[in-house]
Amino acid sequence: LTEAIAGFLKNIIQSATKPLTDSITTFLTTTPLTATNQSIFNFWLVILGITDSLFVLVIAILGFQLMSASTFGFEEVELKKLLPRIGLSFLLANISIFLVDWVLRLNNALVTAVVNATGGLNQAWIENAFNPSALSVENVMVITLVFGVLFIILTVVLLIFYITRLIAIALGAVLSPLIFMLWFLPRLADFSEIAIKSYLTTIFSVFIH
């Protein structure tokens, strides 16, 4: 009887949480690519156009050796050392969205490998957390309901996190040309590197989960 009640409660909780768990599974195992999203790609093209225009402006300032170049810290860097950095920064800015998609593909592949190696997310449940036959009916009901409520709360929190993550990934992909452009400016290089590291951490957070 105890096992039957526990199984009945578990089935109710699973049915009630199925939409949430399906959403979690989708967000956890698949991160949509950015270049295939027309809206994100169009915004990226706009930012890329602005970035390329800024590249031209900065290079013109360097070429004419205007006093305003000191604002960006160029007085501390030899031009011959700066030019390769400008070229690399320009290249990365113009392929940034494709770099983002490559990282997203890597993340999806890692997540898929882990899920396949562990038997899938549907294997994770509380049915082996305790022995129903060793507990009273009241305790089984309380423990199952408590675990169910905690599971729903955790799932809602994770859904909010994953949705926020997707927004951050889309925003980062759109702004990536500007971030790579800032990388060759001596006084803003640290900010650019921190932004890139934070972005990579956001992408691979689901792999850790």
Side-chain angles (χ1 to χ4, degrees):
L1 177 61
T2 302
E3 292 181 354
I5 293 175
F8 176 71
L9 288 175
K10 190 186 74 173
N11 289 333
I12 292 177
I13 294 173
Q14 285 179 327
S15 299
T17 59
K18 188 176 186 305
L20 294 175
T21 54
D22 287 346
S23 299
I24 283 289
T25 302
T26 300
F27 285 124
L28 185 61
T29 57
T30 305
T31 302
L33 302 180
T34 55
T36 56
N37 186 303
Q38 196 63 39
S39 297
I40 295 176
F41 190 76
N42 288 339
F43 277 116
W44 176 78
L45 287 176
V46 172
I47 297 298
L48 180 61
I50 296 173
T51 302
D52 287 345
S53 300
L54 292 175
F55 267 110
V56 173
L57 178 61
V58 171
I59 292 173
I61 292 174
L62 283 175
F64 289 105
Q65 297 182 353
L66 297 178
M67 293 299 294
S68 57
S70 62
T71 303
F72 302 104
F74 291 139
E75 74 281 5
E76 301 172 0
V77 182
E78 295 182 15
L79 186 58
K80 64 181 180 180
K81 294 182 179 179
L82 188 61
L83 288 178
R85 193 178 181 96
I86 294 176
L88 180 58
S89 177
F90 180 80
L91 175 63
L92 292 174
N94 280 269
I95 63 172
S96 57
I97 197 169
F98 305 106
L99 290 176
V100 169
D101 278 0
W102 181 85
V103 176
L104 290 176
R105 287 190 178 94
L106 175 61
N107 172 76
N108 289 339
L110 291 173
V111 170
T112 300
V114 170
V115 170
N116 291 338
T118 55
L121 295 178
N122 59 340
Q123 300 297 319
W125 190 248
I126 63 173
E127 57 186 357
N128 297 320
F130 63 94
N131 181 13
S133 61
L135 301 172
S136 65
V137 175
E138 293 79 8
N139 288 336
V140 169
M141 293 176 63
V142 171
I143 290 176
T144 304
L145 289 175
V146 167
F147 270 103
V149 171
L150 292 176
F151 179 78
I152 291 175
I153 294 174
L154 176 62
T155 303
V156 171
V157 172
L158 286 175
L159 279 176
I160 295 174
F161 170 78
Y162 291 147
I163 292 173
T164 305
R165 172 181 173 270
L166 291 181
I167 296 173
I169 288 175
L171 183 61
V174 170
L175 298 178
S176 55
L178 285 174
I179 298 299
F180 280 118
M181 190 199 75
L182 295 179
W183 177 70
F184 87 85
L185 301 175
R187 293 185 179 177
L188 296 175
D190 289 342
F191 169 78
S192 177
E193 292 174 1
I194 292 173
I196 293 173
K197 291 176 182 178
S198 301
Y199 191 67
L200 291 176
T201 301
T202 300
I203 290 179
F204 286 105
S205 60
V206 293
F207 172 65
I208 302 301
H209 288 185

